Amino acid sequence: MIELFKLRGKKIWVAGSTGMVGSAVVRELSKEECLIIAPNRKELDLLDQLSVNQFLKITKPDIIVIAAATVGGILANSTRPAEFIYENITIAGNIIHGAHINEINRLLFLGSACIYPREAEQPMTEEALLQGRLEPTNEWYAIAKISGIKMCQAYKMQYGRDYISAQPNNLYGTHDNFDVNSGHVIPALMQRAHLAKVNCEDELSVWGTGSVLREFLHVDDCARALIHLLKFYNDDIPINIGTGEEITIKELAIKVCDIVGFKGKLIFDDNKPDGSPRKLLNSDRIKNLGWKSSIKLEEGLKETYEWYKINTMH
Ligand code: GDP
């Protein structure tokens, strides 16, 4: 396949480079003979439009990857709606508009699988976008992500910019947020199962009924997909990134407990929200471009737990 965009020798700004996705993108890009710029939060405040514009004017990257976002699990999303909608819309607006006024022609914006309607037909194709009502537990985040996607389409349509978007499914891996309240299910459950083991507890509570289905994608697979898209994709359709495999939260909890070595009983707490009943992406479009996931869930979970043990306080 012929590369539409060459990364070699290019200056690439990875916005959000200290986060889980951004740091994985930086690791993958370092194999590409390009120059990576990756200011941290203290060096550049993405919520400040003036600072973003100045930064772009001075550094003039050739390409931008927007992996910066205010993210969190089901509880964080439903209890901090203002932060999720304001910060994500502002980050998208500041960077995408800043890129345009500074004549930066190539940009990749990261969406999320939660942009799709709650009742979308499964597996969800890219055409399902805006065809129905969103899942209420994360609609604030979803609206912000849809705004970023629509900005990429609008700047392509009006100004001819080569701005693209992609939405990975539920991500996990190294550098994740293992906080039990604000993290997504894999890191939060891993941390809680680990603490339950260390504290010799008999039970572990799993949020929700455990019967809902999720598709999980390792962050290194996601980073490779994003770099593949930077090279080969230039359509205005925001493109899905998934493994094609799904698992119930109950099966996931059993796997996590196995890996962590917690042998107690699982209790399902249906006072906590389930969220979407099912969230499987149809990833045919990216597969047809020559990318597929390579890290199996079991393997990815083991690697994540090893990282967690070395890199967190416990
Ligand atoms: P979602 O995919 O947007 O719903 O995000 P999450 O990763 O936060 O949650 C996925 C599913 O896992 C939901 O049904 C949660 O109720 C369930 N779940 C079970 N235990 C936990 C937990 O400890 N933390 C989180 N965040 N979710 C959990």
Side-chain angles (χ1 to χ4, degrees):
M1 206 181 308
I2 301 162
E3 270 184 39
L4 296 175
F5 295 87
K6 296 223 179 300
L7 302 187
R8 198 172 171 192
K10 296 283 166 29
K11 194 193 262 191
I12 307 181
W13 173 30
V14 181
S17 58
T18 52
M20 174 169 69
V21 181
S23 56
V25 171
V26 169
R27 282 197 301 278
E28 280 306 311
L29 274 181
S30 59
K31 302 171 189 165
E32 293 285 338
E33 290 181 73
C34 52
L35 177 68
I36 304 164
I37 43 177
N40 63 30
R41 219 172 257 250
K42 281 194 196 125
E43 292 160 332
L44 178 62
D45 178 4
L46 299 175
L47 298 177
D48 179 4
Q49 190 177 33
L50 213 65
S51 303
V52 171
N53 284 343
Q54 254 159 4
F55 170 78
L56 288 171
K57 202 169 157 189
I58 294 164
T59 56
K60 283 268 182 240
D62 302 297
I63 300 169
I64 302 174
V65 178
I66 309 183
T70 297
V71 294
I74 193 161
L75 205 65
N77 258 280
S78 46
T79 52
R80 290 160 42 206
E83 282 170 57
F84 276 81
I85 195 161
Y86 165 69
E87 292 179 13
N88 288 308
I89 284 184
T90 306
I91 290 169
N94 286 349
I95 303 179
I96 297 169
H97 186 68
H100 166 63
I101 59 176
N102 284 287
E103 300 292 342
I104 296 153
N105 202 49
R106 186 71 171 147
L107 178 149
L108 192 167
F109 176 75
L110 219 83
S112 154
C114 70
I115 59 171
Y116 289 116
R118 180 186 157 89
E119 307 296 340
E121 200 178 306
Q122 308 280 325
M124 303 181 286
T125 63
E126 288 85 355
E127 286 70 29
L129 187 64
L130 293 172
Q131 298 304 309
R133 293 188 75 87
L134 296 165
E135 154 61 34
T137 52
N138 56 28
E139 67 174 324
W140 321 96
Y141 180 73
I143 294 274
K145 286 294 175 186
I146 294 170
S147 304
I149 289 168
K150 286 288 157 194
M151 280 192 78
C152 289
Q153 290 176 337
Y155 282 67
K156 187 178 177 71
M157 197 185 278
Q158 188 173 343
Y159 305 120
R161 297 289 179 206
D162 295 323
Y163 296 172
I164 56 170
S165 319
Q167 48 283 347
N169 219 328
N170 292 40
L171 293 168
Y172 73 100
T174 57
H175 297 273
D176 206 343
N177 167 21
F178 289 83
D179 183 80
V180 298
N181 295 311
S182 63
H184 283 100
V185 59
I186 289 181
L189 259 187
M190 202 170 260
Q191 160 111 290
R192 292 201 292 113
H194 178 82
L195 295 178
K197 177 184 80 171
V198 172
N199 298 327
C200 302
E201 281 162 22
D202 305 327
E203 292 179 349
L204 176 68
S205 104
V206 180
W207 296 359
T209 57
S211 61
V212 300
L213 287 154
R214 291 291 182 273
E215 175 188 30
F216 294 99
L217 178 69
H218 192 282
V219 72
D220 290 345
D221 270 337
C222 175
R224 284 189 278 272
L226 297 175
I227 287 160
H228 194 78
L229 293 172
L230 273 180
K231 292 179 181 172
F232 298 107
Y233 192 65
N234 201 27
D235 207 297
D236 64 349
I237 298 171
I239 188 165
N240 289 342
I241 314 174
T243 61
E245 284 169 29
E246 57 185 344
I247 180 172
T248 64
I249 295 301
K250 182 177 178 183
E251 288 168 316
L252 173 77
I254 293 170
K255 265 192 204 300
V256 168
C257 289
D258 248 22
I259 288 164
V260 169
F262 171 71
K263 298 193 170 25
K265 199 175 160 205
L266 295 180
I267 309 287
F268 292 89
D269 176 4
D270 53 16
N271 289 318
K272 291 281 196 313
D274 258 342
S276 287
R278 204 178 164 197
K279 255 169 102 177
L280 180 64
L281 293 176
N282 174 321
S283 300
D284 288 351
R285 201 172 239 110
I286 191 168
K287 282 190 191 141
N288 291 337
L289 284 176
W291 173 89
K292 66 175 173 33
S293 65
S294 62
I295 304 171
K296 290 270 164 242
L297 183 59
E298 188 100 7
E299 179 196 336
L301 288 175
K302 282 183 187 154
E303 184 229 44
T304 305
Y305 185 51
E306 289 312 310
W307 188 91
Y308 163 82
K309 284 192 290 183
I310 295 166
N311 293 281
T312 64
M313 310 297 272
H314 308 284

